[in-house]
């Protein structure tokens, strides 16, 4: 589907994102991207026009409302929701919810459970406001800077991940737990030095942003080549490695 400049964020959510969020509730991982040139409105689309989504909700707020409405309707199932908020800045991974202020975390791989982030803070949420609060607190620590095209340009990619665990209420103690995750990704905008006027640190940031976006596009292309057992190199960037569990 193609949505024009007059389309509401809710229309985009209903047409594109709802199915992916429903999949996470059924144990199927998924990823939602906001991708485009710097200053094109990606962060507004993901996070809305106000901190808690009351007036102009973003995709993250709409996903939270959707998830909890499903939970409320399914009285026969127990749910546990956890959220994390990670940033990729200059190919370095930081935890935006870290209580110690450092945010240093590392990507690891377990032979059975796969890729995970060692040391990442996960917050248990019980209502949509809890998700919004985690988003607000994380945004305070995000790397931003001014360019000629955007006074408050995102200089990093962020991944807000929601993990949904569920189990039927009337079941044996040894019954398995269904786990699904949805990653909501606010990508830093692709940049042209000629247009942004970036120099020094800003120019370096722009180079790293463009490099990781190119790697992401290659990975997505490889994943979309049906019928081919080609190798997908998620390790070429921190971003694709971080997204591996919800992309592959």
């Amino acid at each position: 589907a193609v949505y024009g400049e007059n389309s509401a964020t809710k229309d985009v959510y209903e047409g594109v994102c709802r199915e992916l969020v429903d999949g996470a509730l059924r144990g199927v991982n998924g990823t939602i991207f906001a991708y485009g040139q710097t200053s094109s409105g990606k962060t507004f689309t993901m996070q809305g026009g106000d901190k808690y989504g009351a007036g102009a909700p973003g995709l993250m707020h709409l996903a939270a409302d959707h998830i909890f409405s499903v939970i409320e309707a399914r009285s026969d199932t127990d749910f546990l929701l956890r959220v994390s908020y990670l940033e990729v800045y200059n190919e370095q991974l930081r935890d935006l919810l870290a209580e110690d202020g450092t945010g240093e975390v590392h990507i690891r791989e377990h032979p059975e459970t796969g890729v995970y982030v060692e040391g990442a803070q996960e917050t248990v949420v019980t209502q949509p406001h809890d998700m919004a609060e985690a988003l607000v607190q994380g945004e305070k620590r995000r790397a931003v800077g001014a360019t000629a095209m955007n006074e408050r340009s995102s200089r990093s990619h962020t991944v807000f991940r929601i993990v949904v665990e569920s189990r039927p209420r009337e079941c044996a103690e040894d019954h398995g737990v269904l786990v699904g995750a949805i990653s909501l990704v606010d990508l830093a905008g692709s940049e042209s030095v000629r247009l942004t006027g970036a120099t020094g640190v800003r120019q370096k940031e722009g180079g790293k942003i463009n490099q990781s976006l190119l790697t992401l596009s290659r990975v997505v292309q490889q994943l979309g080549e049906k019928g081919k057992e080609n190798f997908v190199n998620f390790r070429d960037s921190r971003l694709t490695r971080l997204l591996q569990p919800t992309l592959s």
Side-chain angles (χ1 to χ4, degrees):
V2 178
Y3 296 89
E5 60 184 26
N6 295 319
S7 299
T9 304
K10 187 171 179 60
D11 294 335
V12 177
Y13 183 83
E14 293 296 332
V16 179
C17 306
R18 173 175 283 273
E19 184 178 354
L20 291 170
V21 176
D22 278 333
L25 289 161
R26 297 192 303 269
V28 180
N29 294 347
T31 301
I32 298 170
F33 295 106
Y35 171 79
Q37 182 177 301
T38 185
S39 195
S40 59
K42 300 178 298 299
T43 299
F44 178 85
T45 300
M46 295 301 291
Q47 301 182 16
D50 56 80
K51 292 182 178 180
Y52 293 95
L59 296 180
M60 293 179 176
H61 303 107
L62 295 170
D65 289 341
H66 175 189
I67 290 170
F68 280 102
S69 68
V70 171
I71 290 174
E72 187 175 354
R74 292 177 57 182
S75 58
D76 60 340
T77 305
D78 288 324
F79 287 90
L80 176 66
L81 267 65
R82 300 176 276 117
V83 300
S84 60
Y85 200 15
L86 300 169
E87 172 187 64
V88 180
Y89 173 69
N90 279 348
E91 281 301 293
Q92 299 298 314
L93 190 63
R94 292 180 61 244
D95 183 359
L96 296 177
L97 299 182
E99 296 179 354
D100 62 5
T102 63
E104 184 178 354
V105 289
H106 303 280
I107 298 175
R108 307 293 189 208
E109 184 167 7
H110 190 278
E112 295 182 1
T113 58
V115 175
Y116 69 100
V117 181
E118 183 181 61
Q121 174 77 29
E122 285 191 312
T123 301
V124 174
V125 294
T126 59
Q127 57 182 332
H129 183 274
D130 293 343
M131 281 197 196
E133 183 63 31
L135 180 64
V136 169
Q137 294 306 315
E139 276 299 297
K140 293 178 181 178
R141 304 183 181 98
R142 186 176 184 180
V144 297
T147 70
M149 294 184 68
N150 192 346
E151 184 177 320
R152 194 173 186 276
S153 173
S154 300
R155 313 309 295 164
S156 64
H157 311 298
T158 60
V159 179
F160 189 83
R161 182 168 294 166
I162 305 169
V163 178
V164 184
E165 298 182 13
S166 62
R167 186 174 71 170
R169 189 160 293 175
E170 300 296 332
C171 65
E173 286 294 325
D174 59 351
H175 190 284
V177 175
L178 185 66
V179 181
I182 186 80
S183 294
L184 297 110
V185 187
D186 184 8
L187 295 168
S190 55
E191 295 189 353
S192 165
V193 173
R194 179 176 60 84
L195 296 176
T196 62
T199 59
V201 173
R202 293 287 173 265
Q203 185 176 12
K204 177 184 176 182
E205 291 170 344
K208 292 291 187 181
I209 289 169
N210 290 340
Q211 181 183 357
S212 62
L213 290 174
L214 179 61
T215 301
L216 175 62
S217 69
R218 285 200 300 261
V219 166
V220 171
Q221 182 180 6
Q222 290 169 344
L223 289 171
E225 293 177 347
K226 296 181 179 179
K228 295 184 179 181
E229 296 183 1
N230 58 317
F231 176 71
V232 180
N233 195 353
F234 290 98
R235 295 176 181 268
D236 278 354
S237 82
R238 289 283 194 281
L239 177 64
T240 51
R241 185 67 164 152
L242 174 62
L243 293 175
Q244 185 173 348
T246 54
L247 276 179
S248 56

